[in-house]
Amino acid sequence: MMNHPAELALHQYMQDAVAGKTTMSDTTVKQVASDVADALQRQFGGGNKRGDFRLRMSNIGRPSCQLWFEKNKPEEALPKPTTFIMNMMLGDIVEAVFKGLLTEAGVDYEDTNTNVNLQLDNDDTINGTYDISINGAVDDIKSASNWSYTNKFESYDTLKAGDGFGYVGQLAGYAKAANQKAGGWWVVNKANGDFKYVPATGLDIDEEISHIQKNVQKVNENKFERCFEPQRETFNGVETGNLVLNDNCKFCSYRYSCWEGMQDKPAILSKAKTPKTVSYIKIAKEYTNESRV
């Protein structure tokens, strides 16, 4: 099922490309190459201070507890893997090439390199640059793992339900600042090249901006407060008495500092040969002598 008129044009162009029937203008090739060159300089060039904290469009939708750690205790973040920058580059390359495909497929879009400013009621201003705009609606281009493409970006509802990276707030902030509608997300599967459009159906911009303002206020107050409580573990539909890490916290780089004493262990009651690993916040007394504990 296609959710955006431009999807048909893109698929037709890609089908023609497979058949060897397409061309790509020198202008488009040079633009894609220029965007990739800029990304290389940005990711690998000197002076990229990744640890400097400031509120920006890409983080204002994240949980305020995570923002507190980024502001006050950045040194407690889990170390980034050596593949981190390469993964960032893959996202930059996907975005650059995808924009080129939109151009060659004849999709009329606005490619902006101009900062927009989101003015909040508390006199804070958040700056950022959105990816593209089509027919007066702001869209974001994302590259995703196969799991994320299939599960997280299944729909707006599934994205919002587990939006630890703040993608919904980011899109709402861009739309509000640009005085445009919130369109959605163009998502490319890094594993196989699949792509789709996930419309932000149901996104209430005013509601999201209100959430952003509360987030910013908490950051300014600089008082730590957890946003999520532990979840009760269940086995075969029955509660075990154990408490495990909330699903919204699984990708947070500060989860071990936030929950001191958390233990990553094979699922205690699992009978599988290779049990899944579970992050336990609290283990009930009756399981403390289990061989897996």
Side-chain angles (χ1 to χ4, degrees), residues 35 51 74 79 81 138 140 149 151 154 162 178 192 208 214 224 235 238 247 264 269 278 286-287 290-291:
D35 289 345
V138 174
D140 211 355
Y149 183 89
N151 298 281
E154 180 184 2
N192 56 24
E208 290 300 325
K214 291 177 182 177
F224 178 73
F235 181 71
V238 179
D247 286 341
D264 290 337
L269 294 181
V278 178
E286 56 263 40
Y287 304 119
E290 293 287 335
S291 60

Side-chain angles (χ1 to χ4, degrees), residues 114-281:
T114 304
N115 279 346
V116 291
N117 302 314
L118 176 63
Q119 186 67 47
L120 301 176
D121 291 344
N122 51 14
D123 293 330
D124 283 294
T125 301
I126 312 298
N127 303 314
T129 305
Y130 59 89
D131 289 342
I132 59 173
S133 173
I134 302 178
N135 295 328
V138 174
D139 288 340
D140 211 355
I141 301 171
K142 299 292 185 187
S143 57
S145 67
N146 186 60
W147 184 91
S148 184
Y149 183 89
T150 304
N151 298 281
K152 184 175 183 177
F153 285 103
E154 180 184 2
S155 67
Y156 169 74
D157 291 333
T158 57
L159 175 59
K160 184 174 174 58
D163 190 26
F165 292 104
Y167 292 153
V168 173
Q170 180 184 19
L171 187 69
Y174 282 136
K176 182 73 172 181
N179 195 28
Q180 297 191 37
K181 296 178 291 184
W185 298 267
W186 291 98
V187 189
V188 180
N189 188 329
K190 290 185 289 188
N192 56 24
D194 281 350
F195 64 89
K196 62 183 174 182
Y197 185 76
V198 180
T201 306
L203 190 155
D204 187 321
I205 291 181
D206 290 336
E207 179 181 311
E208 290 300 325
I209 296 302
S210 176
H211 173 71
I212 287 171
Q213 291 190 145
K214 291 177 182 177
N215 246 12
V216 173
Q217 181 178 346
K218 285 185 177 181
V219 171
N220 290 339
E221 290 173 353
N222 210 26
K223 182 180 179 181
F224 178 73
E225 181 180 344
R226 290 193 186 103
C227 299
F228 308 104
E229 293 300 318
Q231 296 176 184
R232 296 182 183 275
E233 182 190 43
T234 60
F235 181 71
N236 291 335
V238 179
E239 292 187 5
T240 65
N242 301 323
L243 297 179
V244 299
L245 188 68
N246 193 292
D247 286 341
N248 289 288
C249 306
K250 287 184 176 180
F251 296 105
C252 179
S253 296
Y254 301 96
R255 58 189 182 275
Y256 293 100
S257 294
C258 185
W259 294 102
E260 293 184 6
M262 183 176 70
Q263 304 175 68
D264 290 337
K265 295 181 174 294
I268 292 175
L269 294 181
S270 175
K271 305 301 181 184
K273 184 177 180 179
T274 307
K276 69 176 182 178
T277 299
V278 178
S279 296
Y280 286 100
I281 303 296

Side-chain angles (χ1 to χ4, degrees), residues 13-26:
Y13 180 80
M14 296 301 289
Q15 183 176 344
D16 290 343
V18 171
K21 298 178 180 179
T22 57
T23 59
M24 183 169 281
S25 71
D26 288 343

